[in-house]
Amino acid sequence: MENRDIAAVFEKISNLVRILQEDSKWAFKAAAYDRAKRSIESFPERLEDIARDPKRKLTEVPGVGEDLAKKIGELLETGKLTYLEEQLAKIPASLLDLLQLQTVGPQKVRLFYKELDIRTVDDLEAAAKAGKLRDLPGMSVKSEENILKAIEVYRRASGRFRLDTAAETAEELTEYLRKFKGVEEITPAGSLRRGRETVGDLDLLVTGRDHAGIADHFASYPGIGQILAKGEDKVSVKLQNDLQVDVRLLEHSAYGAALQYFTGSKEHNVALRERAKKKGWKLSEYGLYHGEKVIASRTEEEVYEKLGLPWIPPELRENLGEIEAAEEGKLPKLVELADIKGDLQMHTTASDGQSSVEEMAEAAKQLGYEYILITDHSKAVTIANGLDEKRAVEHIKRIHAARKKVQGIEIWAGAEVDILGDGRLDYSDELLRQMDIVLVSVHSRMTMPAEEMTERLLKALRNPYVRILGHPTGRQILKRDPFSFDLEKVFAEAQKQGVILELNGNPERLDLCDRHVKLARERGMKVIISTDAHHPEHLKLMRYGVMTARRGWLEKKDVLNTLPPEKLLKSLRALPK
Ligand code: DGT
Ligand code: CA
Ligand code: CA
Ligand code: ZN
């Protein structure tokens, strides 16, 4: 069991405690579970390894006392937690689905359940449509509308999983499959290989001796919830978190054709198949055929080559112009993780991060970076412990001091300055002037009308100290739609002012998304890819940002944080004298 699974159980308990409110200490109890959840999530070692080590104790983990340590022990040993099951039994299970809705927290779930006996998303939708929610305490016509919007997002998202969940699951499964001796190659195909922001199901391609043995081994993976189908060449399962995994057992001789086929996308495959047809051939998951004769099947390269094309990177395979570009020899040479030289958005303990400036810098150095920009929150974001002017000035000093302590990497002082409701910034120009690079973003009043939001963003971009626009659309994957605004206008103004757009690589955001990244590139705009790290481990999320950049056709030259530090600074908007 991974830390994230344990953290998910604690999050569930915290929600249940808040919904149930059984005794006077509920708020305190829930907060304790929240704290443990956060700390477990970012704990650098696997709790399972600590539990196995007789010389160590789970209470080493911050926020984990004797009681929680015992619960974690039970989870690790049995895969279950009696306490959780007891709490779950007290309410309809479907109540927890409501928590998936943006703006609906456990307190609201409790309110809806107690007052209107709302148990499911359908119940909630019916109540909102009937105007029954607006009169409840703390609700309004506007919040009722927001709930309907959230239900729409939920319906669209349901059944899909975030890229990071899919990628991490694929890695765990790969590690597990490798334990079986006959296994040779394992490659995740499908939308994961293409780096899509969400994944419907996981497609794993496996070669090796003894297919039946591999299938049996896979079918006994401890994380399986249900086996859907098990044959000689394919095993389909649903994992305990409901993610479906299709494992295909293949022969080496047809591996390339299968990899090509199962990588997709379907649209790309359809176009390729047409291409084959025009030559009088047939393309399938088994190979490229002329009549009965196999023309290509062993490698993907071979399949593309026979079709008169260079190999096309999986991230481009959406039939959005990549086949034409390949034909004309105009495929982009996509940016790679190894090209990245620094990270320009991260938080420290000064606001809502979990580590010091020095710890973040050391971790960035380990990744081979040449620079980082520290961007703690400004004062408007009170829930993230945003810094007021006085603390911000002290923080700049602290960052400068860290430069002396951690050598071999540039540590720049910046901030993620809030764009206030009217487009003014949360800090004075006087303060902004003292920072190396100012990044701005929206964290409040996200539901304002499009025109107002557009004006708000345009005004912020016109402030001469602003150099990066953070998570420009505000969307959260599977949770929150982008805010409404005129993207064209905002892009144009950013370009005019020389403000760089961020591709926030946190897999919760991936904002800009692939399509918008591609649009920026077509306009000749550069982007930076950052992680918005709140912990040294999060710096590694850069890979998801890079995947999205690749899906947006970006080359190294399109991404400013592939430049060495001096060049990067020179290519940002010039500051007022
Ligand atoms: P997902 O799972 O919804 O995130 O998206 P994919 O792309 O992984 O789709 P999936 O799992 O249904 O199928 C994996 C690949 O198999 C897909 O990308 C292309 C190929 N494939 C599946 N169905 C068809 C089909 O009807 N025609 C063609 N040409 N290819 C297909
Ligand atoms: Ca799939
Ligand atoms: Ca599939
Ligand atoms: Zn932010």
Side-chain angles (χ1 to χ4, degrees), residues 286-319:
Y286 305 106
L288 182 61
Y289 288 86
H290 184 175
E292 299 289 296
K293 195 173 150 258
V294 180
I295 306 175
S297 65
R298 188 167 283 275
T299 66
E300 272 195 329
E301 282 82 356
E302 230 174 74
V303 173
Y304 283 101
E305 194 199 313
K306 285 287 178 329
L307 290 170
L309 298 171
W311 180 82
I312 299 177
E315 294 91 337
L316 300 183
R317 299 184 195 170
E318 300 290 344
N319 196 25

Side-chain angles (χ1 to χ4, degrees), residues 112-144:
F112 300 153
Y113 179 50
K114 292 251 152 194
E115 298 297 323
L116 300 171
D117 195 35
I118 287 169
R119 295 156 183 251
T120 64
V121 175
D122 288 343
D123 291 349
L124 185 64
E125 185 176 30
K129 283 192 172 149
K132 286 186 188 155
L133 301 181
R134 60 186 67 169
D135 300 324
L136 295 174
M139 294 289 297
S140 64
V141 173
K142 176 95 184 160
S143 52
E144 196 175 71

Side-chain angles (χ1 to χ4, degrees), residues 15-22 87 90-91 110 114:
N15 284 325
L16 285 165
V17 170
R18 286 192 162 92
I19 294 172
L20 292 162
Q21 300 189 7
E22 287 189 311
Q87 303 310 304
K90 294 174 184 169
I91 53 161
R110 174 182 168 86
K114 292 251 152 194

